[in-house]
Amino acid sequence: MNDTALHAHHVEELLETVFTEREQGRDALDGVLAHAAASHAGALDRGALAGLEAAGLLRLDGERVALTEAGEQRARAVVRRHRLTERLFRDLLQLSEDATESQACELEHILSPEATDSVCTLLGHPPTCPHGKAIPPGRCCGAAQKTVRSLVTGLPSFELGTPARIVFIAPRFHDRMDRLASLGVIPGSEIRLHQRSPSYVIEVGETTLALDPEIAQEIYVKRVEA
């Protein structure tokens, strides 16, 4: 890998750090620096931030740091690639968490926009990563036509009566996950969708359950291959 590629990767990691810190409601310069030191972003100091400011990717305002429009676009893209590949390796390939993180950190720098959209479509346009963090949507998420058939789809659009396996659940409220788990509705469970209206009726093992539409929309499944 040449020096230019290494520099581009480092810039993306620094922008990713600023983006993820902001998600936590933190924009203090010292906090961003401390987080970068403890993460894969590597060495980040005030000089590096000044370089990004000179490149038009972020703004320094006293002890605060913020992304510019150009920096925001670039940071969103790398965060999107990272979190989509986390879903790919955890949910479909079932790699360990350590292996997943390692692979995601590599692929976040090399996936093309077209490949990223294909992965997103393949996964059924997941709203969150395995850790519950939002995946920034891409062009493919609102497209009327898809060039890649989704392997993972939301439960509401899955075929009635067809065996499915839950790949992941993206609840808006954490306690929903606990309630669903108590009913056996967890990632890995095999289910069948029998009804969509007035409520969604699914079969889990020997149990038949009725789900509110809002909850059904948070469950993502893939077909069980014979």
Side-chain angles (χ1 to χ4, degrees):
M1 187 178 296
N2 59 39
D3 290 342
T4 301
L6 283 170
H7 175 70
H9 290 188
H10 187 56
V11 167
E12 288 181 342
E13 289 172 352
L14 300 182
L15 294 174
E16 183 182 10
T17 298
V18 177
F19 185 97
T20 55
E21 279 293 283
R22 188 190 66 198
E23 285 185 314
Q24 302 298 316
R26 299 188 290 259
D27 65 354
L29 184 56
D30 287 345
V32 170
L33 294 172
H35 180 81
S39 72
H40 64 276
L44 175 58
D45 55 27
R46 291 172 183 261
L49 289 177
L52 295 181
E53 183 178 37
L57 297 174
L58 56 77
R59 294 187 304 274
L60 298 176
D61 182 12
E63 293 301 310
R64 297 281 182 257
V65 58
L67 295 168
T68 63
E69 182 177 349
E72 178 77 19
Q73 291 178 355
R74 194 161 173 183
R76 282 173 60 87
V78 70
V79 168
R80 171 173 163 78
R81 293 193 297 268
H82 184 99
R83 293 176 182 176
L84 281 171
T85 50
E86 282 184 319
R87 276 286 175 208
L88 177 68
F89 288 112
R90 279 290 294 276
D91 299 331
L92 291 190
L93 304 184
Q94 298 182 334
L95 297 186
S96 68
E97 185 167 353
D98 288 344
T100 292
E101 181 63 21
S102 174
Q103 292 295 321
C105 288
E106 291 291 330
L107 286 178
E108 70 180 22
H109 300 300
I110 61 176
L111 279 183
S112 68
E114 294 78 12
T116 302
D117 285 350
S118 291
V119 170
C120 186
T121 301
L122 192 70
L123 296 173
H125 311 285
T128 62
C129 75
H131 306 100
K133 298 177 181 178
I135 297 175
R139 298 169 302 175
C140 63
C141 297
Q145 295 182 344
K146 306 293 188 294
T147 57
V148 178
R149 178 178 177 270
S150 295
L151 291 181
V152 179
T153 61
L155 179 62
S157 61
F158 199 73
E159 304 98 309
L160 294 177
T162 301
R165 191 174 307 282
I166 297 176
V167 177
F168 61 91
I169 302 173
R172 292 180 58 193
F173 305 103
H174 183 73
D175 61 345
R176 281 184 183 168
M177 183 73 84
D178 294 335
R179 294 203 307 270
L180 290 172
S182 70
L183 298 171
V185 181
I186 58 175
S189 295
E190 185 172 323
I191 67 173
R192 290 177 189 263
L193 175 65
H194 291 298
Q195 175 182 302
R196 293 192 178 94
S197 180
S199 61
Y200 288 84
V201 175
I202 63 172
E203 176 186 334
V204 185
E206 301 298 322
T207 304
T208 300
L209 303 171
L211 302 176
D212 291 337
E214 184 178 350
I215 295 176
Q217 291 171 3
E218 298 170 346
I219 299 173
Y220 292 76
V221 300
K222 67 177 180 178
R223 181 188 297 270
V224 173
E225 301 297 338

